Amino acid sequence: MANMTCYHCGDDCGRGRVHFDEKDFCCHGCKTVYEIFTSNGLSKFYDLESRAGMAPNTVSKKYDFLDNQEIVAQLVEFNEDGVQVVNLSIPTIHCSSCIWVLENLNRLHASITNSQVDFPKKTIRVTYKTEDFSLKDLVLLLSSIGYEPYISLEEYTKKDRKVDRSLIYKLGVAGFAFGNVMLLSFPEYFEVEEYWLEQYKLVFRWLMFAFSLPVVFYAGQDYFSSAIKGLRSKLLNIDVPIALGILTLFVRSTVDIIFDLGSGFFDSLTGLVFFLLLGKYFQQKTYAFLSFERDYKSYFPIAVTRLNEDGSEENIQIYKIKKGDHLLIRSQEIIPVDCILSKGSAEIDYSFVTGESQAVFRQAGEKLFAGGKQLSGVLEVEVLKSVSQSYLTQLWGNAVFSKDKASTFQTLTDSIGKRFTIAVLTIAISATVFWLFYDSSMAMNVFTAVLIIACPCAIALAAPFTLGNMLRIFGRHKFYLKNTNAIERLAKVDAAIFDKTGTITTTKEDTILYEGIELTAEETALLKNTLRASNHPLSRSLYDILKSNDIMTLDEFHEHTGKGIEGRVDQHTIKVGSASYVGKEPTSSMASTSVYVSTDENVKGRFVFKNKYRDGVETLFHSLGKSMHLGILSGDNDGEKTQLQKILPAKTNLLFNQKPEHKLEHIKRLQKEHDVLMVGDGLNDAGALAQSDVGIAVSENINVFSPACDAILDASQLTNLPRFIGLSKKSIQVIKMSFILSLCYNIIGLYFAVTGQLKPVIAAILMPLSSISIVIFTTVMTNLISKKLNRTDE
């Protein structure tokens, strides 16, 4: 029988399909959403796109903390006269259907008056009346239709971020002034001598002076401040010759119109600043919908449930947790503090903290660390340390997280700028000395002319337009870099270190092997139906890979949290779970994640879950291994060392059982000899990502949590990493070629300058021409070198 797909979300229905209203659904959740839509006049939702939504998650009691009005007050943007406005992050927004549904929330509940979606940021802004509706009700409504909001400690603690539009304002001022000054300069260019133009020539010149004032002292102020800071630090950055050129243009032009020596170079001055700001604006492209600065706050909940002495439950803010408090941790919740397990059986997933993919089992009296996720069942714990003193928070206190990589890295433009400044000053002084002896009246004119025409406008534009365009090209291929500086650093790396779990392995599927006595058809059927009743992740994975069998009704089903499950039909029983649960003695060879099976109290065998390596990993490492030092840093045990050695180059350095601080120290040692690229995926890699010269976070879904990094790479594009590094190197070559092109323009301009022949019209032609030609050259070249990357995606 052909596989049926869910009418709502498009996933494979499998054997657990639900048939309703002559349509098939993969689960009761999707069926419920369909009923909500059709009963509220939202059936058009299914006309917009075939994969209309995503299956909702169970959120029972998850958002009880939203009953706390102190927390709600911190989250909402507006709260007056019975109306609240809130901005929520919805990671599952992915298409036009999602936008249509979310902007029609008022048809699902009368208290919602307005909802607006910001698709690039994947957020929704909702206005609602609070008379019979609350923020908690809104969150549960969104969750019920498959759009569960992402509310984290980061959202709670963040301050209002003011949008900096100063660059746009400066660009607007410079553009306005440039256009008007060019218009007023035309009569001077063509030496028009009509009576009325002669009469108003002086007025035109002072108008050009007036237009240049805001350009120099407002639009161009950043170049002066940067140049001054550079000189104070004894550094000649690219802004030094730029500031010198702007100042010389302004002073020389002002002197010219005061003493009626000419019209000056106001057109070149305003054009120079305008093109420089245009390059900076182009370079400032960022992916606002991604966060490159995330820490543990993005992962932690806002509030937890505290158990009071009288047995009552209370939702409190996470920062109000004190030593000695008793907390309730539900299934799939994060443990926010270091604590002692006082009641319940813990099955903790520490993969996002330690990198160890295997769940850890703990019993009452044992210690639990902050950052782990309880996989099943309810726990009661006693707090040992507050949030600020817990292991995970202290890890984030490392100085490496406050290090600014961009400020310590000298860009190619700045390194060229130093040589350029020295060369220009040498030529200017040499030419001036010559004219002092030959014709002293020309000396000052020549000196200023050299500084004017040799202003590194084209050089300053080469990097912003080249790297800015590469930023966009990478983005189109799901490789999102924090800034253009990261591209230059990526081009220099000669060592690549990878995390294992979640980076070169996929979190979406496992390789499952069976070891033991073959199960009969009846035993297999009983096994599958017992697994079908469980929601445990391993149970679901195992259920999906077993052959289809007829659905039968179990006489009994028991789930023992942290141990396993048991099912019975007629007189036959089956147990599935840990070795000790089914009656198998644990051995040292049980390093892999395993699920044991026994029938009628006889141990039959075990299903071994192994990591599934991403397609193309072998090709990826062999491609990088040709020119780079390679290594694997894993928080896992060395159970897969042999398998890794088969697919990785022989010289790859493999290190296992690495804690976060071990990874950071290894990167630091390696940086003494190499420029290091670190590729990881979780909190356990955060220190190494921050310490490395370039840190790339690999993510199955770029809109959910990823640690602080320089770039976010969609997991589907991991095999393209060598091409991305290659393109970074080629983009640096394009910048160098642009410098050569700019040098040609400067040589031509310097000829006119040192011979005393530089006129405003020549400067007005050469300076914009060099800028525009550099912009065109870099755009064309970057698109040409990226063509191969485009072909690989076809």
Side-chain angles (χ1 to χ4, degrees):
M1 183 175 67
N3 288 337
M4 295 183 180
T5 56
C6 178
Y7 183 74
H8 175 68
C9 72
D11 286 344
D12 187 2
C13 289
R15 297 289 297 180
R17 71 185 177 94
V18 178
H19 191 74
F20 175 78
D21 200 17
E22 298 184 354
K23 296 173 177 62
D24 293 305
F25 301 91
C26 65
C27 64
H28 286 284
C30 285
K31 168 184 166 277
T32 303
V33 177
Y34 169 77
E35 288 182 280
I36 293 171
F37 288 161
T38 52
S39 62
N40 285 278
L42 297 176
S43 56
K44 184 183 176 184
F45 175 71
Y46 296 101
D47 298 330
L48 292 174
E49 199 168 299
S50 57
R51 286 191 59 134
M54 294 186 70
N57 295 317
T58 303
V59 291
S60 177
K61 293 194 174 183
K62 184 175 179 180
Y63 294 105
D64 281 354
F65 65 85
L66 293 176
D67 290 326
N68 186 321
Q69 292 306 307
E70 189 178 349
I71 294 173
V72 171
Q74 189 78 7
L75 290 172
V76 297
E77 295 179 354
F78 177 85
N79 187 11
E80 290 287 340
D81 300 324
V83 175
Q84 288 183 347
V85 180
V86 67
N87 202 47
L88 296 172
S89 174
I90 312 286
T92 51
I93 297 175
H94 70 291
C95 65
S96 57
S97 306
C98 302
I99 297 172
W100 189 86
V101 170
L102 291 170
E103 292 193 343
N104 280 277
L105 289 178
N106 59 316
R107 298 173 71 174
L108 294 180
H109 201 288
S111 296
I112 299 174
T113 57
N114 183 49
S115 54
Q116 292 179 310
V117 172
D118 186 332
F119 185 73
K121 293 183 180 179
K122 297 192 184 297
T123 60
I124 181 172
R125 195 169 189 267
V126 184
T127 305
Y128 55 93
K129 299 173 184 175
T130 58
E131 185 177 350
D132 59 350
F133 194 69
S134 66
L135 178 58
K136 180 181 176 182
D137 294 329
L138 172 63
V139 170
L140 292 176
L141 173 63
L142 288 167
S143 300
S144 71
I145 61 173
Y147 297 100
E148 185 177 358
Y150 179 68
I151 304 175
S152 66
L153 186 60
E154 180 186 42
E155 297 294 315
Y156 181 75
T157 56
K158 74 179 181 181
K159 305 297 180 185
D160 291 334
R161 296 172 186 168
K162 293 184 179 179
V163 179
D164 185 7
R165 295 191 175 91
S166 60
L167 180 59
I168 297 175
Y169 298 149
K170 290 173 182 176
L171 184 60
V173 168
F176 175 77
F178 177 45
N180 281 281
V181 170
M182 286 292 288
L183 182 66
L184 295 169
S185 297
F186 271 110
E188 302 275 359
Y189 293 159
F190 302 107
E191 298 181 351
V192 179
E193 295 181 354
E194 288 188 23
Y195 173 76
W196 70 273
L197 286 174
E198 280 293 320
Q199 285 291 103
Y200 292 100
K201 183 161 61 177
L202 199 59
V203 175
F204 287 175
R205 289 177 178 178
W206 282 107
L207 278 174
M208 288 189 285
F209 170 79
F211 279 122
S212 70
L213 288 174
V215 174
V216 174
F217 296 105
Y218 171 64
Q221 64 180 340
D222 290 343
Y223 296 103
F224 291 107
S225 58
S226 176
I228 291 169
K229 287 177 183 176
L231 291 173
R232 283 177 179 171
S233 303
K234 298 180 180 180
L235 295 172
L236 284 176
N237 56 31
I238 193 66
D239 290 331
V240 172
I242 290 175
L244 191 61
I246 292 172
L247 190 62
T248 304
L249 278 165
F250 180 70
V251 173
R252 167 74 184 270
S253 301
T254 303
V255 170
D256 280 357
I257 63 169
I258 289 174
F259 296 102
D260 197 22
L261 300 174
S263 59
F265 300 86
F266 291 116
D267 47 357
S268 297
L269 168 62
T270 52
L272 168 65
V273 176
F274 173 70
F275 281 113
L276 286 171
L277 291 174
L278 189 64
K280 187 179 285 188
Y281 176 76
F282 191 79
Q283 187 180 23
Q284 207 180 45
K285 162 72 178 179
T286 56
Y287 296 97
F289 61 94
L290 297 176
S291 174
F292 296 92
E293 305 294 347
R294 286 168 166 162
D295 60 15
Y296 72 94
K297 292 177 184 177
S298 305
Y299 189 52
F300 271 26
I302 292 174
V304 291
T305 304
R306 183 170 64 188
L307 299 173
N308 296 320
E309 291 182 1
D310 60 3
S312 62
E313 297 179 5
E314 178 188 8
N315 289 296
I316 63 166
Q317 297 176 43
I318 195 169
Y319 286 125
K320 291 188 175 181
I321 298 174
K322 301 188 298 290
K323 181 180 178 181
D325 281 350
H326 288 264
L327 306 179
L328 187 71
I329 308 295
R330 298 184 180 90
S331 177
Q332 301 300 310
E333 286 188 348
I334 303 298
I335 299 171
V337 289
D338 296 348
C339 54
I340 291 287
L341 178 60
S342 54
K343 189 182 292 184
S345 296
E347 183 181 0
I348 310 296
D349 176 9
Y350 282 119
S351 61
F352 223 59
V353 181
T354 65
E356 174 63 62
S357 58
Q358 187 173 354
V360 175
F361 295 91
R362 293 287 182 265
Q363 299 299 324
E366 294 188 87
K367 187 175 181 179
L368 305 178
F369 290 97
K373 178 190 283 188
Q374 166 66 349
L375 295 180
S376 60
V378 179
L379 306 178
E380 289 185 21
V381 300
E382 182 180 347
V383 177
L384 291 176
K385 297 178 180 178
S386 65
V387 172
S388 61
Q389 295 175 324
S390 293
Y391 166 74
L392 191 62
T393 317
Q394 289 181 338
L395 172 64
W396 238 265
N398 194 302
V400 70
F401 291 103
S402 58
K403 183 178 73 172
D404 183 6
K405 296 179 187 178
S407 64
T408 57
F409 178 81
Q410 187 180 36
T411 64
L412 181 61
T413 304
D414 281 339
S415 63
I416 294 287
K418 178 181 179 180
R419 298 176 179 86
F420 183 89
T421 304
I422 295 170
V424 168
L425 289 174
T426 302
I427 293 171
I429 293 169
S430 300
T432 303
V433 170
F434 170 80
W435 281 101
L436 280 172
F437 289 100
Y438 188 76
D439 184 353
S440 59
S441 63
M442 292 286 291
M444 188 54 63
N445 180 44
V446 168
F447 181 76
T448 55
V450 170
L451 295 180
I452 288 169
I453 202 64
C455 182
C457 179
I459 292 177
L461 289 174
F465 278 93
T466 301
L467 301 178
N469 204 33
M470 287 308 303
L471 208 64
R472 288 158 176 76
I473 291 167
F474 286 151
R476 287 202 299 268
H477 294 87
K478 301 180 181 180
F479 182 39
Y480 307 94
L481 286 108
K482 184 177 178 180
N483 49 42
T484 54
N485 184 276
I487 300 178
E488 290 197 58
R489 283 183 276 122
L490 184 61
K492 294 189 71 177
V493 297
D494 59 353
I497 306 300
F498 289 78
D499 170 54
K500 181 176 76 72
T501 306
T503 303
I504 62 173
T505 65
T506 177
T507 58
K508 290 187 174 180
E509 54 182 311
D510 293 308
T511 299
I512 305 175
L513 306 173
Y514 178 70
E515 299 174 356
I517 303 169
E518 185 178 355
L519 299 174
T520 65
E522 291 78 11
E523 289 171 338
T524 305
L526 179 55
L527 171 62
K528 176 136 188 178
N529 282 276
T530 303
L531 293 168
R532 183 171 177 265
S534 172
N535 279 321
H536 191 282
L538 293 181
S539 297
R540 303 313 302 164
S541 297
L542 198 51
Y543 175 80
D544 290 337
I545 63 105
L546 292 176
K547 293 180 179 178
S548 298
N549 289 275
D550 293 332
I551 303 301
M552 64 174 70
T553 303
L554 296 174
D555 295 334
E556 288 183 25
F557 173 79
H558 300 286
E559 184 155 5
H560 303 277
T561 303
K563 296 178 181 179
I565 56 177
E566 180 180 2
R568 184 177 69 82
V569 171
D570 297 330
Q571 300 302 314
H572 297 288
T573 61
I574 193 165
K575 285 186 176 181
V576 186
S578 63
S580 57
Y581 175 67
V582 302
K584 173 77 173 177
E585 287 294 324
T587 65
S588 58
S589 63
M590 295 180 180
S592 302
T593 302
S594 303
V595 172
Y596 287 80
V597 180
S598 71
T599 60
D600 299 328
E601 302 302 326
N602 296 314
V603 178
K604 303 288 287 190
R606 66 172 181 167
F607 289 92
V608 181
F609 291 73
K610 291 187 177 292
N611 288 314
K612 171 74 166 59
Y613 290 93
R614 299 187 190 280
D615 294 335
V617 163
E618 188 172 354
T619 305
L620 164 69
F621 274 83
H622 280 89
S623 178
L624 291 174
K626 294 175 183 177
S627 58
M628 302 177 77
H629 171 88
L630 297 178
I632 295 286
L633 291 180
S634 176
D636 274 351
N637 56 60
D638 61 357
E640 297 191 27
K641 183 175 182 179
T642 304
Q643 188 178 354
L644 277 170
Q645 287 174 332
K646 290 178 182 177
I647 64 174
L648 301 182
K651 293 183 179 180
T652 305
N653 188 21
L654 303 177
L655 295 175
F656 297 92
N657 300 307
Q658 296 291 295
K659 291 183 178 180
E661 56 270 30
H662 297 156
K663 292 185 177 185
L664 191 154
E665 290 301 323
H666 180 79
I667 296 294
K668 195 179 289 186
R669 286 193 300 271
L670 201 58
Q671 284 178 313
K672 294 177 181 178
E673 299 177 6
H674 299 277
D675 291 303
V676 182
L677 165 68
M678 175 67 196
V679 186
D681 76 309
L683 277 175
N684 60 303
D685 304 314
L689 289 169
Q691 177 63 44
S692 64
D693 295 282
V694 181
I696 299 177
V698 175
S699 179
E700 301 278 3
N701 183 347
I702 60 166
N703 296 297
V704 297
F705 184 88
S706 55
C709 55
D710 298 299
I712 298 174
L713 175 62
D714 191 282
S716 64
Q717 297 294 316
L718 181 62
T719 53
N720 271 330
L721 185 58
R723 294 188 180 93
F724 293 140
I725 296 173
L727 280 177
S728 299
K729 296 180 187 294
K730 287 182 179 179
S731 64
I732 300 302
Q733 294 174 3
V734 170
I735 294 173
K736 290 178 179 178
M737 291 164 65
S738 301
F739 287 166
I740 294 172
L741 183 61
S742 174
L743 182 62
C744 295
Y745 280 108
N746 275 314
I747 290 172
I748 296 170
L750 285 170
Y751 165 75
F752 288 101
V754 297
T755 56
Q757 301 178 60
L758 183 67
K759 296 181 179 179
V761 67
I762 296 174
I765 293 171
L766 273 179
M767 294 183 74
L769 183 63
S770 64
S771 300
I772 293 169
S773 61
I774 290 296
V775 170
I776 295 172
F777 176 77
T778 55
T779 304
V780 171
M781 287 302 296
T782 48
N783 283 308
L784 281 175
I785 64 175
S786 66
K787 273 191 173 182
K788 186 176 180 181
L789 190 62
N790 293 328
R791 285 197 295 270
T792 62
D793 287 349
E794 292 175 358

